[in-house]
Amino acid sequence: MASQSATVPILSCGGLTKRYLVPGWRLGWILIYDRSNAFEAEVRPGLVNLSQRILGPNTLIQGAIRAILSSTPQEYFDMAIGVVQRNAEICHAAMKKIKGLNPIMPTGAMYMMVAIRMDKFPDFKSDLEFTQQLVTEQSVFCLPGKCFQYPNYFRVVLTVPEEKVTEACERIAEFCREHYTSKERISY
């Protein structure tokens, strides 16, 4: 990081979740390069406080971090990127065919955001209701866009095995066929 700037402090963030496809492990880090100690008074203490308040990974994962970072072969990362890319292509192609949905092809994320035309699903007042009913009826868990201040969307994770992505897309299609309406809602 020293080659980036001799005067401007730099924070570099990293973690296992995305690079190693382990959502939920909650293991990350922030490297501070601060030659002039500009972060010393507020930023560094704030980061320390934050790191002590967030639920972190279990001790087994903490103990394994050195081996994980030093011994994972490049082939693993190549395979992981391939899995996510393949799943994104499968999911995007399937979701494009579903009336009332509009998937957004990710460019580097391990999930896909899918827009819901709420006017075509009048049984639901929000993306939260939509995803709750999707879990109830089809046992497919997607995060509502509301979680990310992204209303009328839901998020699909792409790190699961290909057959699970295919099955989830089929179930989402069935759910949408059952709830989609081509009628326009009239407001008075």
Side-chain angles (χ1 to χ4, degrees):
M1 289 191 292
S3 65
Q4 299 299 312
S5 172
T7 57
V8 177
I10 299 171
L11 295 177
S12 177
C13 303
L16 292 185
T17 296
K18 291 180 175 62
R19 184 137 167 90
Y20 291 85
L21 303 182
V22 287
W25 276 25
R26 305 285 182 251
L27 185 60
W29 51 87
I30 299 176
L31 301 174
I32 300 173
Y33 176 75
D34 184 16
R35 187 178 285 183
S36 62
N37 292 322
F39 288 164
E40 205 58 39
E42 293 182 30
V43 175
R44 186 181 301 266
L47 290 171
V48 169
N49 286 340
L50 184 61
S51 72
Q52 294 171 346
R53 290 191 181 136
I54 296 175
L55 271 175
N58 67 52
T59 55
L60 292 174
I61 296 168
Q62 291 177 34
I65 189 70
R66 174 178 272 172
I68 291 169
L69 293 175
S70 64
S71 302
T72 304
Q74 181 59 41
E75 295 80 34
Y76 170 81
F77 300 113
D78 297 341
M79 179 275 309
I81 289 170
V83 166
V84 172
Q85 181 65 38
R86 214 169 21 262
N87 285 345
E89 292 164 358
I90 290 166
C91 188
H92 188 265
M95 295 287 179
K96 274 189 357 185
K97 296 176 185 173
I98 302 172
K99 288 183 180 180
L101 299 184
N102 184 28
I104 311 235
M105 185 65 164
T107 55
M110 60 183 198
Y111 56 84
M112 177 179 294
M113 297 302 292
V114 180
I116 310 165
R117 292 221 25 222
M118 296 305 296
D119 61 317
K120 299 298 182 182
F121 298 97
D123 295 343
F124 311 110
K125 295 179 188 152
S126 68
D127 54 279
L128 178 61
E129 285 186 15
F130 182 96
T131 55
Q132 286 174 328
Q133 200 60 35
L134 179 59
V135 170
T136 300
E137 291 182 23
Q138 293 292 336
S139 299
V140 175
F141 180 75
C142 298
L143 282 172
K146 178 180 182 173
C147 294
F148 313 99
Q149 276 70 50
Y150 218 58
N152 303 329
Y153 281 78
F154 64 89
R155 187 174 94 163
V156 179
V157 173
L158 302 170
T159 59
V160 297
E162 185 177 316
E163 59 273 8
K164 296 288 185 191
V165 170
T166 301
E167 182 179 352
C169 289
E170 291 167 358
R171 290 179 181 209
I172 291 168
E174 182 179 332
F175 176 83
C176 289
R177 278 192 302 274
E178 291 176 12
H179 292 282
Y180 179 88
T181 181
S182 58
K183 299 174 187 171
E184 295 295 322
R185 289 185 4 179
I186 300 172
S187 300
Y188 294 99

